[in-house]
Amino acid sequence: MSAPAIKAPARQMMELLEELAAFSAPGPGVSRLLYTPEWLQGQRFLQERMAALGMEVRTDGVGNVYGRFAGSQPAAKVILTGSHIDTVLNGGKYDGAYGIAAAVTALHYLRQNFGQPLRTVEAVAFCEEEGSRFPLAYWGSGNVTGLYDGSEAQRCADSAGVTIASAMEGCGLGRRPEDCGTAAAAGYAAGRAPLREDIGTFVELHIEQGIVLEQAGLEIGIVEAIVGQRRYSVKVAGSTNHAGTTPMGLRRDALAGAAEMLLAMEQAAIAAGNPLVATCGKLEAVPGTPNVIPGEVQFTLDVRHSEADALEHFCSMLLAAFEEIAWKRGLTLQATATLATAPAPMDTGLNQQLQHIARQQGRSFRSMVSGAGHDAQLFAPVCPTAMIFVPSRAGISHAPEEYSSPDELAAGLNLLTAVLYELAYKES
Amino acid sequence: MSAPAIKAPARQMMELLEELAAFSAPGPGVSRLLYTPEWLQGQRFLQERMAALGMEVRTDGVGNVYGRFAGSQPAAKVILTGSHIDTVLNGGKYDGAYGIAAAVTALHYLRQNFGQPLRTVEAVAFCEEEGSRFPLAYWGSGNVTGLYDGSEAQRCADSAGVTIASAMEGCGLGRRPEDCGTAAAAGYAAGRAPLREDIGTFVELHIEQGIVLEQAGLEIGIVEAIVGQRRYSVKVAGSTNHAGTTPMGLRRDALAGAAEMLLAMEQAAIAAGNPLVATCGKLEAVPGTPNVIPGEVQFTLDVRHSEADALEHFCSMLLAAFEEIAWKRGLTLQATATLATAPAPMDTGLNQQLQHIARQQGRSFRSMVSGAGHDAQLFAPVCPTAMIFVPSRAGISHAPEEYSSPDELAAGLNLLTAVLYELAYKES
């Protein structure tokens, strides 16, 4: 059996994608926020479907769902594949759900056509990745890998004041120390408690959520690394003054200062070159009245790079440039780090396998950096991890307009299925 | 009698100022928005006070209050002095009220000490200047001079949906065509209907609301001109995109474009020199999420200059520069003019008189441009008009911290009183 012989049933996957999309709160697109009724119905539907396909189904304390085909070598670690089932508010039907539908379809196809695998395979639907309801992200994969130990559930609340713990309880869920294995339970006491320590490999298939593949006219992206992120909240303070009676030379205009900073940031980011990106997405000028010089501006910074050193260097350099602009203008600057994640390199060996298969399958592909965060970055420090992208039309995601064509989705499915075959069925 | 002999009673004015400040909605500073209960009580208090001082008191259809000492030459036009009684929300106690308290004090002092004037003098409290409750400004002086004809009252509503007409009715007010004189009533039919056509001179005393006098260590500002203003609402549109997955080179970032525009505006304004000022006071980036590149930015422009040509030239040049920045970045630009007022030059003869008296009174003074709008600009096209400034501590106004010292306020009162003496008592 070689990769070209793999013919995973794309139609079955597309049907499952459509079925999942139906579990949504009202409104445009798909809205399936963590621990909402539509989320719960979606996870239950998926459990039933996995069971109907002959998988052993189980959920863990935070609501991740696993469908398993046990391997003939029970000592071998698990080959895990999947993605997250939650969406942003008014999101699309591919982000996350595609990786789940493809995982279930691929494993079922392999079981039907090639029998019991040597190594146990599992399809996973992580309960949460987006951070759209509660002020944290990767709740699903983070509990599995030990980024979280479950205690966050008591402290974290949504905008209505509902804690994760209370929302979980409403879904009949709840993570306790004894949910972990023995080693993990010890880790729980020590402050780090992965829900699972039996994962040997993780492969995630996902839409690109960017325009790189479309612009290059390529079918497949093989992710080299997921970028590290730094986020800051920056406050610039000057003097609130009358827009008519304050001559230009006597102003300490916080907004003019912020404008100079944003322009400096853009120029520095362009100069640094790909894959560095730097963005201000949110800016508020106070008091925000047309005829008053803003005395205060608060804005966000989002900086990403696939290399830790380059990320660190850029951020230090940028904040120093901001300081200089503030000083020159008689403004004060306060930059608070709000997020810092390290870059997550994917497994080189797995990526070579993926390239080899993609060539066999006649796919056009490239290696690329993922500028967005994904569940895969949580697994990268824990086990060999890989990630496959398919094109996103116009680079749009997190919107009802999110779209990848059936052919593009099928190409991703076939690559995933072939690599899972090699991982689970071939003697190593 | 010469100017140095004028000794207007500053204490009486300060007491009246304090009394007026008591008419305020709860909260910090003074809040006396048009046609609110505190506004109505303030205007009624003022009518009683004027009557107690021997003035003939009357109000017009929009609620302006006049206190008059009739002159012995009834054919001569009226010498009018005063300012506005409304405040911004949480404003100070000097902006507007100072000009009223000084006017009442000055005219009463002159009547007491020099008897009946040759020409009729009136102190006025305009009902509204700030534009803080309804989306128009100068409602008081604008109805007097014919900028408004009263019909706006039906169309204009505050943020709670209450129209000016209905708010006026609640105060027992309402402007009808027959409120105008015969000539004015004809003008009313023709679309322009000043409530009064008997005003011969208008003099307004006001706090500077800027830092120019304080920085220069001067006691008095004699206004050469009130700036003309142009306001615009500018919309910059690009593409909303994922902050992580969109390389710098593939972005159409509306906020980065807006930042470049604001910086260009600041540089051009500094290059143009005083008295030009240009300000962006309000900016909104959409969607306003830290990890999303803003696809749209809306910001305001406020540009002022005392010369019409220079104002026009700067605005055209600036909007052309904005167009170029937008074009270069693949953004679209839409600039909508939201306000355009012409510069209002004050009367040269009156200003010479003021300078002469200021010298006699031993005051340090300068000619200056008013960067803020004032009721006086409505009178400038109608009759000889002058405006006197006293220093504002730290240039602060429209805030509870607004302050001018009793000595500074007294100096302004004495100059106003002396010029009113010359205008009303001296044979021309």
Side-chain angles (χ1 to χ4, degrees), chain B residues 73-291:
Chain B
Q73 298 176 353
K77 285 198 157 186
V78 173
I79 315 294
L80 185 69
T81 182
S83 192
H84 60 96
I85 197 161
D86 68 311
T87 70
V88 298
L89 188 68
N90 305 127
K93 58 183 167 190
Y94 305 96
D95 182 351
Y98 170 47
I100 297 169
V104 171
T105 306
L107 296 187
H108 179 248
Y109 165 81
L110 291 175
R111 187 71 178 79
Q112 293 285 96
N113 290 273
F114 305 99
Q116 187 184 26
L118 298 177
R119 294 165 207 93
T120 298
V121 288
E122 287 188 28
V124 62
F126 293 118
C127 62
E128 199 270 353
E129 185 251 17
E130 299 286 4
S132 292
R133 178 172 176 188
F134 298 99
L136 49 67
Y138 312 112
W139 180 242
S141 52
N143 271 283
V144 172
T145 56
L147 172 67
Y148 302 121
D149 68 8
S151 61
E152 302 82 3
Q154 301 293 341
R155 298 192 299 268
C156 253
D158 66 11
S159 58
V162 179
T163 60
I164 296 184
S166 127
M168 283 166 87
E169 209 177 296
C171 295
L173 298 166
R175 181 180 169 180
R176 298 155 307 164
E178 52 271 38
D179 295 332
C180 313
T182 326
Y188 192 89
R192 187 181 173 279
L195 277 174
R196 298 188 61 171
E197 291 179 312
D198 60 341
I199 312 295
T201 306
F202 179 64
V203 184
E204 183 171 9
L205 176 60
H206 206 279
I207 58 168
E208 182 200 336
Q209 301 185 264
I211 203 169
V212 171
L213 291 176
E214 185 184 86
Q215 287 246 331
L218 299 172
E219 296 169 288
I220 295 288
I222 296 169
V223 176
E224 291 162 43
I226 297 172
V227 293
Q229 292 188 37
R230 297 281 184 97
R231 289 201 196 157
Y232 298 87
S233 171
V234 180
K235 195 161 108 178
V236 181
S239 292
T240 303
N241 266 313
H242 193 296
T245 62
T246 315
M248 297 309 293
L250 297 179
R251 294 176 174 216
R252 287 168 56 230
D253 182 335
L255 183 54
E260 188 174 352
M261 292 174 197
L262 296 192
L263 214 59
M265 176 179 82
E266 187 190 42
Q267 286 162 355
I270 290 169
N274 286 331
L276 187 125
V277 285
T279 307
C280 169
K282 188 177 178 182
L283 184 145
E284 203 183 2
V286 176
T289 306
N291 59 347

Side-chain angles (χ1 to χ4, degrees), chain B residues 412-428:
Chain B
L413 169 67
N414 237 31
L415 178 56
L416 176 72
T417 309
V419 78
L420 291 171
Y421 176 83
E422 295 205 355
L423 291 168
Y425 285 82
K426 284 206 172 163
E427 295 289 353
S428 57

Side-chain angles (χ1 to χ4, degrees), chain A residues 123-206:
Chain A
V124 61
F126 293 118
C127 62
E128 201 269 353
E129 185 252 17
E130 299 286 4
S132 292
R133 178 172 176 188
F134 298 98
L136 49 67
Y138 311 113
W139 181 241
S141 52
N143 271 283
V144 172
T145 56
L147 171 67
Y148 302 122
D149 68 8
S151 61
E152 302 82 2
Q154 300 292 341
R155 299 192 299 269
C156 252
D158 66 12
S159 59
V162 180
T163 60
I164 296 184
S166 125
M168 283 167 89
E169 209 177 296
C171 294
L173 298 165
R175 180 180 169 180
R176 299 155 306 164
E178 55 270 36
D179 295 332
C180 312
T182 326
Y188 193 89
R192 185 180 173 279
L195 278 175
R196 298 187 63 171
E197 293 180 308
D198 60 341
I199 312 294
T201 306
F202 179 63
V203 184
E204 183 172 8
L205 175 61
H206 206 280

Side-chain angles (χ1 to χ4, degrees), chain A residues 11 19 26 33 47 85 109 113 125 135 137 149-150 187 215 237 245 257 266 303 338 341 350 354 361 367 407 425:
Chain A
R11 185 181 293 175
E19 285 173 306
L33 303 192
Q47 291 174 53
I85 197 162
Y109 165 80
N113 290 272
D149 68 8
Q215 288 246 331
T245 62
E266 188 191 41
V303 185
T338 54
T341 65
L350 276 175
L354 284 169
Q361 293 184 334
S367 289
D407 283 353
Y425 286 82

